[in-house]
Amino acid sequence: MKEKLIFDLSREGRKGYSLSANDVPDVPLDTILPSNSLRSEPASLPEISESEVVRHFVRLSNMNFHVDKGMYPLGSCTMKYNPKINDYTCSLPGFSTLHPLQPSETTQGALQLMYELTEMLSEIAGMAAVTLQPAAGAHGELTGILLIKRYHESMGSKRQKLLVVDSAHGTNPASAALAGYEIISVASNADGRTDLDDLARKLDGDVAALMLTNPNTIGVFEKDIVRIAKMVHDNGSLLYMDGANMNALLGISRPGDMGFDVVHYNLHKTFSTPHGGGGPGSGPVGVCEKLLPFLPVPIVEKQETPEGNVYRLSCNRPESIGRMMNFYGNFGVLVRAYTYIRMLGADGLRMVSENAIINANYLLSLLGEKFDLPYPKPVMHEFCLSGDRQKKAHGVRTLDMAKRLLDYGFHAPTIYFPLIVSEALMIEPTETESKETLDTFAEVLNRIADEAASDPALVLSAPLTTPVKRLDEAQASRQLNICCR
Ligand SMILES: *Cc1c(COP(=O)(O)O)cnc(C)c1O
């Protein structure tokens, strides 16, 4: 059955709360608020009982696919299981009831947490310092590129170009364009790595930086990274790392040691926090020494005093690029990431990446027969298959097979990305899936490949079991219609 909008469930006068009778005198709102802050008509909010609210959202969550329901092998996005203790700590009243304008004497715990998180993230990626402000990976990219821009300006140089490898996530060129750069694409080679000859050709005196993802979005480690860093630095350019794939590196290798000058982290991917519904994320940015003066303000500082450590927010950074966000970032996500890191410790983090890599390689070994593998093995924490064979032989596209997975209780992998792989299926199992789940997923995907051959019409009509069938995937973002009345 179709679920109605919560506005359609509304009945005038119905309430989801009860308050005791008012025992102080009523004061008319217009005597305490300026007239431009008063509503001209009442807010259009649904009126509904508590039990109906709960049931409405539970029904919606049952109709939806989410990582608490089943495996969500979305390549590049690291949809891992999110430990519930993270939600517990971030909802502790000492964190959840803070107001961002409270004086810092009353928010020492929160500031300490932020300070320690920047220290831990700096250590993990081998960077000199970290800002927690950016609200997502793409926002981190923009922050990092603005830092690069300010660095070149401080040297009196006006470099106009940014190099981006052709396997990069779409946010890379988008962020670079937003910062005002001309984008030059660098080719990948037959192994799925950056083509060094093409890079050498394109590195000229006008290049501000190269943006690279490592491991890249093919799931391959850029093993020439030290050489690439030298080429870039010898050219007076900087090296930016898209750190969305950090789930493959924790405790094993560090972007700072590879020669990266700037890196963003996706806390909501690598360091847990449910994501995918457009909910709050966090994209901290780590920088090397020479970019320190330009970091966004405010910055949390620690002062050691005889009475103990005192934490405060400092805006004293005259060359800063300024604020990237109001207040201090998405604090709830910071608490989750802090909890996640502290629960695992250094050994646990390394185990995360080792298991992520072994899970991906194990799964690939089960799928390699029925699907084409466009780039050689081994892979890091994710891999890319192609559905070309199924399309050519049976007219079944990757999109159709992805939809069919839903009928078997699995979310689809990332499809049609990276752009350099035709009919791409990009699979990232993450470390939190058991061998049994990986076996079942492989069995199902191989069965779908068989179905594509024996009964293509079935796969073409999938999904058959979901509450809604094939949606217009672009409409929701192009015609934003949040109905209220
Ligand atoms: C997810 C992702 C991004 C963008 O991060 P958001 O947090 O979604 O803005 C950038 N690059 C890669 C490789 C990604 O997977």
Side-chain angles (χ1 to χ4, degrees), residues 33 86 91-92 100 102 111 154 167 172 255 265 324 336 344 347 365 394 405 466:
L33 284 178
N86 301 351
S91 54
L92 288 172
Q102 267 176 243
L111 294 178
S154 78
S167 60
N172 288 193
Y265 312 69
M324 288 305 293
R336 286 186 177 90
L344 284 162
D347 292 347
S365 75
H394 316 297
L405 269 172
T466 50

Side-chain angles (χ1 to χ4, degrees), residues 76 136-138 141 169 171 213 217 242 244 266 268-269:
S76 205
E141 291 169 20
H169 195 268
T171 50
T213 312
T217 60
D242 176 337
N266 295 63
H268 48 286
K269 295 179 182 173

Side-chain angles (χ1 to χ4, degrees), residues 68 130 139 204 220 243 361 382 451 479:
D68 283 353
V130 166
H139 196 206
D204 62 27
V220 174
N361 282 282
E382 64 187 1
E451 285 176 352
Q479 289 176 21

